[in-house]
Amino acid sequence: MTHCTIAVIGHVDHGKTALVRALTGVETDRLKEEQQRGLSIALGFAWCDGPSGGVDIIDTPGHEDFIRTMAAGVAGARAVLLVVSAVDGFERQTFEHLQIATLLGIDAGIVAVTKSDLLVADDHAKTAAAIKETLAETPLCSAPVVFCSTRTGAGLDTLRGALDALAQRCTAASALPGFYLPIDRVFTVRGIGAVVTGTLTGGALRTGDSAVVQPSDRAVTIRGLQARGAELGVIEPGRRAAVNIRGAAMEDIRVGDILCPPGLFPSSRRLDAKVSLTPDGARPLKHLDEVRVLLGTRAIAATARLIEGGPIAPGGWGWVQFRFERDIVAHAGQRAVLRRLSPSETIGGAIVLDPTPSASGRRNNGRIDVLRAVESGDTLRIAFALAARDGGLSAIAELARLTHQPPDIVRARLAADFETLDDQHLVSRRTLEEATRIYLAALRDAHRVAPTKPGKPLASIRRVVVRAAAPALVELVERRLVRTGEIILASGHAALATHDPIAALSGDARARLEHIEVLLHDGAAAPPDLDALIGSSSDGADLMELLVAAGRVVALKNFALRKTLLFHPAALDAALKTLTAAFPSPTTFKTGEAREALATSRKFIVPILEFFDARGWTIREGDLRRIARR
């Protein structure tokens, strides 16, 4: 069985409500004021069944004072029943209603010519031709035209058949990660509590589901469901639903709020959209213009901030960020109608591309590429656009929001081109490869310029790579290059594993380096000072740096004296053996006792023992130490 929600639109007094009553037997003008004035003010709801399924009908007001209400009704529909009086023909609201339906993405419908009993039979063909000509440039250009009369009943069966056929060919609404119900009525039933109604989109809604009312984020539970007056356990998207909720009173909910699953549709005071203006507008849309946005069942004022370019001319389009005074809720792909605040007129439509964007300036910083990608609906293109904007990273939550897909589905679809960095981000393999290439090239350049330097400071290498990749991705590149053995990180420097700075030294420099190494070896636990080792040679400090980087010399810090002391590794090994022999475990010893055992001074013994502590070779317990069991 197919189900489709259809909005009845058209000029005031063209017989929309009477036609719905004749088709369904339901009086949609339920308010006392509507019945007294013979004028629809609020949305009316009815339904009828056909051989192939059911049609839910939303009867919208035709008077120009209730355009916001009309747009709220059409926003939940998949097709329209355009009502045109055989006597009066197309009038102002007929055109505006059709325009609003088009801006909201409606491309299917039927034209019902009411009061056709007032036409002579010979006029039917002429009137149908005139209607087709009027609709030639609209989405209803191929819509069937059905002549009918609520007074005589003529054509009603034909119209019911056309509605059944329309329900079968209606396209499904865009997929969403969960149920999404824009609320168009709120009331209380004694003994039951608060009830909200709306046209369900997204996913199915079930009794017992947890939900939130947005934008207030009030947690509720689905207590009961009705469709067409019948109690149901589940309602599928595309149908009208009455939902009894537990956890909120009628006063806590407003028309225009959204009932949705927790966490899936966050509120925001901004949204990014592609805006298209109607060609008959009086003036362009300028930066910081105030407009009224008809979004779902809500109408709310907003400031239009143009993301790129100058004013949008009538008939043109542009990228706009709307900023609202209050929180709103939307989803990517949702359509909205734009109206001037004064004079009140429809000026265009918008397609929501990012419902919770960051604040935008006039510099788009990749934002336009992201919006273009979202408009395309291509998950991979969206992921690459986000990665290009954010240095190779794509936030999983943002991808899920912009693609209408759960995070697990997003990961699966992007697995060939992206890999997981952490719970919140994917990494573009393309950017990862490029960052790796840049990192290695930067090191090769550094070694070519300074072949006798042991490495390049990490900060300077990262500054080069971060121009093409996010800092987190640069760190990932480093970790992988270390793991694969391609680079070495030491003392805040990076170097290619194949780099041998000592081999690049001159013969004289290598001789001095070896002499320094011998002096440190012979110095044992009381080596010469750094100044004595370097002497007057201009490259002494560089040679010492090479020895430390190569692991042929160990640099220890005496923090009390603020001095760096250099030791030969063999001297430190010998010192440990001496202490082990003098104080076999579990014998404890004091710092002074160790100093005497090694025949050295306090200047050297403190950093030596701290080095042994850090390696786990000695264990300190207050003022005492002992050799660790090995």
Side-chain angles (χ1 to χ4, degrees), residues 76-284:
R78 302 305 308 152
V80 293
L81 178 60
L82 177 64
V83 175
V84 181
S85 166
V87 177
D88 302 309
F90 280 76
E91 296 193 75
R92 177 182 174 184
Q93 294 312 120
T94 314
F95 287 111
E96 186 168 18
H97 281 204
L98 181 57
Q99 181 185 60
I100 289 173
T102 302
L103 293 171
L104 290 173
I106 303 294
D107 58 5
I110 301 169
V111 181
V113 183
T114 55
K115 307 179 185 180
S116 60
D117 56 302
L118 301 179
L119 290 177
V120 297
D122 293 343
D123 287 340
H124 283 201
K126 181 180 177 181
T127 302
I131 290 172
K132 286 289 188 181
E133 182 179 356
T134 303
L135 298 175
E137 302 298 324
T138 74
L140 297 189
C141 58
S142 301
V145 178
V146 180
F147 289 83
C148 54
S149 169
T150 57
R151 189 178 67 84
T152 66
L156 293 182
D157 286 341
T158 302
L159 184 55
R160 291 189 183 96
L163 287 171
D164 186 62
L166 178 61
Q168 295 181 62
R169 67 175 187 269
C170 274
T171 57
S174 300
L176 296 174
F179 60 84
Y180 189 88
L181 184 82
I183 296 171
D184 52 35
R185 284 186 68 200
V186 186
F187 55 91
T188 298
V189 176
R190 181 175 296 179
I192 293 179
V195 176
V196 301
T197 70
T199 303
L200 183 63
T201 59
L205 186 58
R206 293 174 172 80
T207 301
D209 279 351
S210 296
V212 291
V213 177
Q214 290 285 48
S216 64
D217 203 32
R218 178 177 290 275
V220 297
T221 303
I222 308 305
R223 186 177 181 183
L225 297 170
Q226 275 194 2
R228 303 184 177 190
E231 297 282 346
L232 297 174
V234 58
I235 295 181
E236 297 297 330
R239 301 189 65 179
R240 292 286 307 168
V243 185
N244 176 210
I245 59 178
R246 180 189 294 112
M250 175 180 171
E251 296 75 20
D252 301 323
I253 309 169
R254 299 167 52 187
V255 170
D257 287 351
I258 305 296
L259 185 70
C260 58
L264 285 187
F265 300 99
S267 62
S268 173
R269 294 199 175 190
R270 295 183 292 264
L271 63 81
D272 285 351
K274 181 180 181 180
V275 167
S276 299
L277 298 190
T278 58
D280 55 354
R283 61 184 191 271

Side-chain angles (χ1 to χ4, degrees), residues 226-459:
Q226 275 194 2
R228 303 184 177 190
E231 297 282 346
L232 297 174
V234 58
I235 295 181
E236 297 297 330
R239 301 189 65 179
R240 292 286 307 168
V243 185
N244 176 210
I245 59 178
R246 180 189 294 112
M250 175 180 171
E251 296 75 20
D252 301 323
I253 309 169
R254 299 167 52 187
V255 170
D257 287 351
I258 305 296
L259 185 70
C260 58
L264 285 187
F265 300 99
S267 62
S268 173
R269 294 199 175 190
R270 295 183 292 264
L271 63 81
D272 285 351
K274 181 180 181 180
V275 167
S276 299
L277 298 190
T278 58
D280 55 354
R283 61 184 191 271
L285 181 67
K286 299 179 181 178
H287 187 59
L288 301 182
D289 271 357
E290 297 290 325
V291 295
R292 191 174 306 282
V293 181
L294 310 187
L295 180 70
T297 54
R298 170 162 290 185
I300 185 169
T303 300
R305 301 181 64 89
L306 306 188
I307 297 176
E308 184 181 60
I312 303 173
W317 65 272
W319 311 104
V320 176
Q321 181 170 100
F322 292 103
R323 297 195 182 180
F324 305 90
E325 293 183 356
R326 301 192 306 275
D327 286 348
I328 55 96
V329 179
H331 63 77
Q334 187 172 359
R335 291 178 178 262
V337 174
L338 307 181
R339 288 174 62 82
R340 294 278 184 197
L341 299 183
S342 180
S344 183
E345 59 182 358
T346 300
I347 62 169
I351 302 176
V352 177
L353 300 177
D354 190 345
T356 57
S358 58
S360 75
R362 298 309 297 274
R363 295 182 180 180
N364 66 73
N365 296 324
R367 186 184 298 268
I368 298 299
D369 291 336
V370 173
L371 296 181
R372 287 196 177 101
V374 174
E375 185 185 19
S376 75
D378 186 310
T379 300
L380 183 59
R381 183 177 172 185
I382 295 170
F384 276 135
L386 292 176
R389 186 194 69 186
D390 296 334
L393 300 181
S394 293
I396 295 172
E398 190 170 12
L399 279 166
R401 184 179 77 238
L402 298 180
T403 62
H404 307 165
Q405 298 171 122
D408 290 346
I409 299 298
V410 169
R411 288 191 185 93
R413 290 191 173 183
L414 297 176
D417 298 277
F418 285 78
E419 61 181 79
T420 300
L421 175 66
D422 52 38
D423 290 342
Q424 299 179 357
H425 296 92
L426 299 179
V427 177
S428 164
R429 297 183 193 275
R430 181 190 301 172
T431 308
L432 192 60
E433 291 170 2
E434 178 64 9
T436 301
R437 185 193 67 77
I438 293 172
Y439 199 106
L440 293 174
L443 279 181
R444 282 194 293 270
D445 288 344
H447 296 333
R448 177 178 52 80
V449 172
T452 61
K453 287 287 186 180
K456 184 77 171 175
L458 278 174

Side-chain angles (χ1 to χ4, degrees), residues 594-608:
R595 174 174 50 77
E596 292 176 3
L598 296 178
T600 187
S601 67
R602 184 171 181 82
K603 168 184 173 180
F604 297 110
I605 192 60
V606 171
I608 288 174

